[in-house]
Amino acid sequence: MSAAIASLASYGSDSDSENESESNTSIKKVDPDDPDATAHLKPLQSGPTMSLAVLNSAPEVAVKEAVETGIHLDPSLKEVTYNPTYETMFAPEFGPTNPYKSQQMSAPRNMLSGYAEPAHVNDFMFEQQRRTFSTYGYALDPSVDTHEASSCSYIGAVEEAEKNKGLTVFESGQKKPEKRKKVKGGDAGEIDSFLGPWAKYVDEKDVAKPSEEEQKELDEITAKRQKKGRNEDEAPGEEKTILHVKDMYDYQGRSYLHVPQDVGVNLRSADAPDKCYLPKKQIHVWSGHTKGVSAIRLYPRSGHLLLSSSMDCKIKLWEVYGERRCLRTFIGHSKAVRDICFNNSGTQFLSAAYDRYLKLWDSETGQCISRFTNRKVPYCVKFNPDEDKQNLFVAGMSDKKIVQWDIRTSEVVQEYDRHLGAVNTITFVDENRRFVSTSDDKSLRVWEWDIPVDFKYIAEPSMHSMPAVTLSPNGKWLACQSMDNQILIFGAQNRFRLNKKKIFKGHMVAGYACQVDFSPDMSYVVSGDADGKLNIWDWKTTKLYHRIKAHDKVCISALWHPHETSKVITCGWDGQIKLWD
């Protein structure tokens, strides 16, 4: 070992000398025969060697292979993925037994206090026995079948149970109803025989009764009245029409439905006038109705004809240009006509009346094509404006429903039943995909077509009923005549919000469904009122610009002609229709 250390020291000194004199370095070769040179390569010599015994201190454990082949099975397992042998299934558990585990602890239990067997007891029976036990001190033994119950099947106060014959708290509390004394004049509980609280003081001799002849006559009058009323309600009025012009067709074979070309205005154009002006004077009066006019409608697109409905049960068609004659009268309702509506082409129109009938008429021939009724009064009627749905129309009824009919089958195809009051108006919005309805329940509801659940419901505590609604020419706004003497503007797209900056006031309309309208260029808003005046507001500033005394009674409707700059048509309960320019 000393030789090895010496050789390492000489190696270190040699390396130092190499660093000091790099030019005179020389490498010494090792002689294999020199024992000192090879001493560090030999292993060290130690004392006598001894062998040690192998000791494995790791405990015996169950390896994965042994478990999988079935030597041990955990008793808490719910699922076994192999087929264990009989010995594996019934082998004892691993580990020492718990010396402190009693028989009660080792018993299976499914609740804190032990093991409860599943049993079904009716809720009423359980409550009945619980109350009986808490009141009388006994109850049926739940471990014994109730069909085999006897005196020994009770728990608690068995003697008390035998004394009461096992009656429960419900049975023992019942008392036999006492017989009421009969009172002269009958009992109030017996409605048919009850003559009132003073009957016992009245002597039958003093009561005046009709004689047999008089009673027979009274019965006949009552029967006639009932029969007459029933026939009037059930039978629709006879339809007929009167043509008021000499020739129905002109020299070219064109009827009055043909749009005239020589009136100074292009009635075929869909464009509105660029600028509208306030009407100042009355230029014509259409008179022919004997009672108040309820509604007026212009012919679709062109507006060259005017349709009017009245409380005299008649509907009349008038010329707007030329001689402004009454062209035809449609007779067929037995009571006042409430609303009218043209289809898109103007060849047909619907009428709704208080005789509970809706009737479809031909505008040219005056023929009644169809009748519709559901035994309720229709308050408003509207054709679906879509070209592919011209066979469908909706009507707001007095029984809170909106009913949809198909004119091809004369059957009800849909009912919208969500309002809480009679439906007053129906207005189509959003490219005719939706419609807005207002009602006597002071709410506004928005519906998807053919879906009988409203997707928008607007009702505020401050809102009043809105019995007249009009869509603006650009389709963005709804003008609603509110019963608190103001016109409210709701957005007709998306959210249907109330525009609080656009509220038109200054007229008196409470109690009347005065129709509102817009000028074609959206500059003005027009409406009648209860005093018979025509009111005109500025759309931008909401200021009342002009007021004209138009009618002697209520001015129920005002229409601004869609192709004219300043022509407004009004109608009133004085039976007249007037044209203003």
Side-chain angles (χ1 to χ4, degrees):
M1 188 169 185
S2 59
I5 293 169
S7 64
L8 286 170
S10 63
Y11 176 74
S13 61
D14 290 342
S15 62
D16 293 339
S17 61
E18 283 179 7
N19 292 334
E20 291 173 3
S21 56
E22 292 180 358
S23 58
N24 301 322
T25 56
S26 63
I27 300 171
K28 295 180 180 180
K29 294 184 179 179
V30 178
D31 187 4
D33 297 330
D34 187 3
D36 293 331
T38 58
H40 67 282
L41 301 175
K42 294 179 181 178
L44 298 175
Q45 296 294 326
S46 61
T49 60
M50 54 187 296
S51 61
L52 298 174
V54 178
L55 178 65
N56 186 4
S57 59
E60 288 187 4
V61 294
V63 295
K64 182 181 177 184
E65 290 79 8
V67 173
E68 288 181 349
T69 50
I71 293 174
H72 171 67
L73 190 64
D74 188 356
S76 63
L77 282 176
K78 301 292 183 184
E79 182 181 350
V80 181
T81 57
Y82 63 94
N83 292 330
T85 61
Y86 175 84
E87 290 78 11
T88 306
M89 290 286 288
F90 293 95
E93 294 183 19
F94 273 9
T97 57
N98 184 1
Y100 304 105
K101 191 173 184 181
S102 63
Q103 184 180 1
Q104 185 179 1
M105 290 171 65
S106 60
R109 57 181 183 173
N110 56 5
M111 55 188 298
L112 191 63
S113 59
Y115 183 79
E117 291 185 358
H120 173 71
V121 181
N122 187 290
D123 290 340
F124 173 76
M125 291 296 295
F126 180 84
E127 189 65 18
Q128 183 188 50
Q129 294 303 318
R130 187 190 69 78
R131 291 192 184 185
T132 304
F133 188 82
S134 62
T135 305
Y136 299 120
Y138 65 85
L140 284 171
D141 188 353
S143 62
V144 180
D145 191 1
T146 53
H147 297 291
E148 302 172 0
S150 62
S151 60
C152 60
S153 63
Y154 291 96
I155 55 173
V158 180
E159 295 178 359
E160 189 72 20
E162 291 176 353
K163 182 182 175 182
N164 292 341
K165 297 181 181 179
L167 290 176
T168 63
V169 71
F170 297 132
E171 295 168 342
S172 59
Q174 292 177 353
K175 293 182 180 179
K176 293 182 179 179
E178 295 179 0
K179 291 184 179 179
R180 292 184 181 179
K181 294 178 182 179
K182 289 190 176 180
V183 184
K184 186 179 179 183
D187 185 11
E190 300 171 3
I191 294 172
D192 295 334
S193 62
F194 185 59
L195 301 177
W198 299 98
K200 56 186 177 182
Y201 303 108
V202 178
D203 191 356
E204 292 183 2
K205 296 177 182 178
D206 299 334
V207 178
K209 292 183 179 179
S211 62
E212 291 183 5
E213 293 179 1
E214 290 174 338
Q215 186 63 44
K216 189 176 180 182
E217 192 175 339
L218 285 171
D219 292 341
E220 288 177 2
I221 292 170
T222 307
K224 281 181 181 178
R225 282 181 182 171
Q226 290 176 349
K227 188 176 180 182
K228 184 180 179 183
R230 188 165 57 248
N231 288 346
E232 278 186 0
D233 287 344
E234 290 177 1
E238 183 186 353
E239 296 90 4
K240 59 181 181 178
T241 182
I242 302 169
L243 183 66
H244 297 285
V245 292
K246 186 177 180 182
D247 297 319
M248 185 173 170
Y249 302 98
D250 63 4
Y251 69 98
Q252 287 185 334
R254 300 174 300 187
S255 71
Y256 49 71
L257 297 185
H258 177 74
V259 180
Q261 304 288 311
D262 54 348
V263 294
V265 180
N266 185 7
L267 299 179
R268 296 177 184 271
S269 172
D271 298 331
D274 295 332
K275 175 68 177 169
C276 290
Y277 304 94
L278 295 176
K280 297 288 177 67
K281 60 181 180 179
Q282 172 188 315
I283 59 172
H284 187 73
V285 178
W286 289 283
S287 55
H289 287 295
T290 56
K291 291 184 180 179
V293 180
S294 55
I296 50 175
R297 300 284 182 267
L298 284 166
Y299 194 81
R301 295 189 181 90
S302 64
H304 72 287
L305 298 176
L306 179 70
L307 189 69
S308 65
S309 63
S310 171
M311 298 172 195
D312 61 5
C313 314
K314 296 176 183 175
I315 303 163
K316 289 181 180 287
L317 191 64
W318 314 81
E319 283 180 327
V320 176
Y321 296 97
E323 298 178 24
R324 300 193 174 101
R325 302 168 294 177
C326 177
L327 298 172
R328 188 180 285 278
T329 300
F330 305 83
I331 303 168
H333 287 289
S334 58
K335 291 185 180 177
V337 184
R338 166 84 186 215
D339 195 20
I340 45 178
C341 179
F342 274 112
N343 66 355
N344 282 2
S345 61
T347 55
Q348 296 175 348
F349 68 89
L350 282 162
S351 62
Y354 285 100
D355 60 2
R356 304 181 183 184
Y357 275 91
L358 294 129
K359 296 191 177 184
L360 180 66
W361 303 82
D362 188 292
S363 305
E364 186 174 334
T365 63
Q367 178 190 359
C368 180
I369 301 167
S370 300
R371 305 182 195 94
F372 312 90
T373 183
N374 67 344
R375 313 308 310 145
K376 297 293 182 291
V377 178
Y379 281 177
C380 57
V381 63
K382 277 284 192 301
F383 269 105
N384 187 314
D386 276 347
E387 289 295 340
D388 59 339
K389 296 187 181 72
Q390 285 290 286
N391 59 301
L392 299 171
F393 71 89
V394 284
M397 313 301 288
S398 60
D399 65 343
K400 314 170 193 175
K401 294 180 182 178
I402 299 171
V403 185
Q404 180 178 320
W405 266 283
D406 190 333
I407 61 175
R408 297 173 298 188
T409 59
S410 298
E411 290 181 356
V412 175
V413 293
Q414 186 63 274
E415 278 188 354
Y416 306 83
D417 185 11
R418 301 279 285 183
H419 275 294
L420 306 176
V423 181
N424 290 322
T425 68
I426 297 170
T427 311
F428 282 85
V429 296
D430 194 16
E431 297 179 353
N432 310 322
R433 290 192 293 264
R434 301 169 178 169
F435 63 90
V436 178
S437 63
T438 61
S439 164
D440 285 345
D441 62 8
K442 303 180 184 178
S443 72
L444 184 146
R445 294 176 191 257
V446 189
W447 313 76
E448 296 276 357
W449 175 256
D450 221 12
I451 298 175
V453 180
D454 51 318
F455 82 92
K456 187 81 172 178
Y457 170 67
I458 301 169
E460 296 290 339
S462 60
M463 279 176 62
H464 289 67
S465 178
M466 297 180 290
V469 177
T470 303
L471 183 67
S472 66
N474 59 13
K476 292 182 179 180
W477 306 102
L478 283 170
C480 305
Q481 187 78 264
S482 180
M483 287 292 93
D484 56 350
N485 299 322
Q486 56 187 9
I487 297 170
L488 303 179
I489 305 295
F490 288 87
Q493 295 170 336
N494 300 326
R495 303 190 67 178
F496 295 89
R497 272 187 165 180
L498 174 65
N499 189 339
K500 295 182 180 178
K501 293 182 180 179
K502 300 274 189 213
I503 296 177
F504 301 90
K505 302 178 182 178
H507 62 318
M508 181 71 71
V509 287
Y512 301 96
C514 296
Q515 193 67 40
V516 191
D517 201 13
F518 294 85
S519 64
D521 66 342
M522 286 288 295
S523 297
Y524 305 106
V525 176
V526 293
S527 170
D529 65 9
D531 301 326
K533 292 182 177 126
L534 172 64
N535 301 272
I536 306 173
W537 292 267
D538 180 53
W539 169 254
K540 287 185 178 178
T541 63
T542 70
K543 286 183 180 179
L544 182 58
Y545 266 6
H546 201 43
R547 182 180 281 165
I548 305 170
K549 178 64 177 173
H551 295 272
D552 296 332
K553 293 182 181 178
V554 181
C555 178
I556 203 68
S557 184
L559 288 179
W560 199 302
H561 197 286
H563 295 288
E564 298 283 353
T565 56
S566 60
K567 281 189 171 62
V568 177
I569 303 167
T570 62
C571 68
W573 283 8
D574 56 1
Q576 293 185 331
I577 305 166
K578 297 184 180 182
L579 178 63
W580 303 83
D581 194 4

